[in-house]
Amino acid sequence: DAMVIQNPRYQVTQFGKPVTLSCSQTLNHNVMYWYQQKSSQAPKLLFHYYDKDFNNEADTPDNFQSRRPNTSFCFLDIRSPGLGDAAMYLCATSNRRNGNTEAFFGQGTRLTVV
Amino acid sequence: GNSVTQMEGPVTLSEEAFLTINCTYTATGYPSLFWYVQYPGEGLQLLLKATKADDKGSNKGFEATYRKETTSFHLEKGSVQVSDSAVYFCALSDWNTGFQKLVFGTGTRLLVSP
C-alpha cells in the first residue's frame, strides 16, 4: 500500500545526458515536492507544485525542471547532469485542502552520474 | 530565516540504553515540528510531530515535546534497539509562505550495538 512511489530506485546516467525521475502518489494530495539530498546532508527543497502552480526555490539551478501532468504524477527533469548532481532525490506530498497534513515521502531515487 | 540545529553524530549506544537527540529551532510565528527517520538507502519516514507548544509527539517508543520557551524539540527513547539504527532528522514547517516547506536539521546518525 505504498502511497508515494518513486521510479526508478536507482538511476545511472551519463554526464550531460538528460534524465527524468518520476513520482506518483495515491493520496490525492494537492502539493508535491522534490528534494535533493547529497550524501550525509539534509534534504534541500528544489521546487514544489501547489495544484498546477509551480514554485521554484531561488537557488535551484536552471538545469533542474519539473512537470506535473496531473494530480498523481510529478517528474523531475535534469537537462544536463553534472557529477555534482549525484544525490538521492526525494519526492514528497502534502495536502492543503480543509487543513494541512504533514509531508509524506517516497523511498527516493539515487542518481549516479558517470 | 527559519533554521534547525541538531546535535552532531554519530550517537553510539548499546541496546536498551536511553536515547536523547537534541534539536533546537529558530522560527518566526508558530511552526510545526517533526522528527523524520531515514534508514540506509531509504526515503524519509515521519516518526512523530507536534503542532503547538507543549504538545508531545510519540510513536514506536520515541517521544518529543514542543518547548516554546526553550525553542527545543528533543527526541527521546527509553530503551533503544539495534533496529533503531538510522539517521534522524528534526524539521520544522513554515506556514508563513502558505505551504508546508520543511526546513531540516543536518541529521544525527544513531548506531545501536547488541
Side-chain angles (χ1 to χ4, degrees):
Chain A
D1 58 345
M3 296 178 288
V4 181
I5 304 160
Q6 291 188 242
N7 283 305
R9 291 289 310 277
Y10 302 92
Q11 175 74 57
V12 180
T13 191
Q14 291 180 333
F15 183 95
K17 183 176 180 180
V19 65
T20 295
L21 309 182
S22 75
C23 177
S24 63
Q25 55 136 335
T26 58
L27 298 163
N28 199 33
H29 284 173
N30 62 340
V31 189
M32 294 187 78
Y33 312 79
W34 280 104
Y35 285 83
Q36 179 192 60
Q37 186 183 21
K38 295 190 175 180
S39 182
S40 302
Q41 296 184 20
K44 178 179 176 298
L45 183 65
L46 295 173
F47 26 60
H48 78 281
Y49 275 94
Y50 185 178
D51 292 323
K52 291 182 181 291
D53 293 333
F54 177 72
N55 297 270
N56 204 27
E57 292 299 296
D59 56 355
T60 298
D62 292 340
N63 199 26
F64 292 86
Q65 304 288 321
S66 185
R67 296 170 283 136
R68 189 179 185 186
N70 54 52
T71 300
S72 301
F73 285 86
C74 194
F75 300 99
L76 170 62
D77 301 308
I78 308 177
R79 293 193 293 189
S80 181
L83 297 178
D85 296 327
M88 174 81 92
Y89 290 88
L90 298 166
C91 175
T93 73
S94 69
N95 207 30
R96 279 187 59 83
R97 299 189 194 96
N98 303 317
N100 301 293
T101 69
E102 65 271 16
F104 291 79
F105 283 81
Q107 291 188 295
T109 295
R110 182 167 296 284
L111 178 68
T112 301
V113 182
V114 298
Chain B
N2 296 342
S3 66
V4 174
T5 302
Q6 285 181 241
M7 61 189 289
E8 290 208 15
V11 173
T12 305
L13 295 173
S14 298
E15 205 164 25
E16 299 183 3
F18 184 86
L19 168 71
T20 300
I21 300 178
N22 290 338
C23 170
T24 57
Y25 68 89
T26 302
T28 54
Y30 303 95
S32 292
L33 301 174
F34 306 86
W35 278 100
Y36 281 87
V37 58
Q38 187 174 36
Y39 298 100
E42 302 289 325
L44 298 175
Q45 297 176 27
L46 178 67
L47 183 59
L48 52 84
K49 68 176 182 180
T51 57
K52 60 183 187 299
D54 299 325
D55 267 4
K56 178 186 280 189
S58 61
N59 186 27
K60 299 182 181 178
F62 291 89
E63 293 183 339
T65 301
Y66 190 144
R67 300 283 189 206
K68 193 170 186 302
E69 63 276 13
T70 55
T71 62
S72 66
F73 193 56
H74 305 322
L75 182 68
E76 296 183 336
K77 187 176 186 184
S79 176
V80 295
Q81 306 300 311
V82 172
S83 58
D84 293 328
S85 298
V87 179
Y88 292 81
F89 289 93
C90 185
L92 65 81
S93 66
D94 180 356
W95 300 106
N96 292 338
T97 51
F99 69 99
Q100 191 184 25
K101 175 179 177 178
L102 283 167
V103 175
F104 288 92
T106 52
T108 302
R109 182 175 299 277
L110 171 65
L111 299 170
V112 181
S113 56

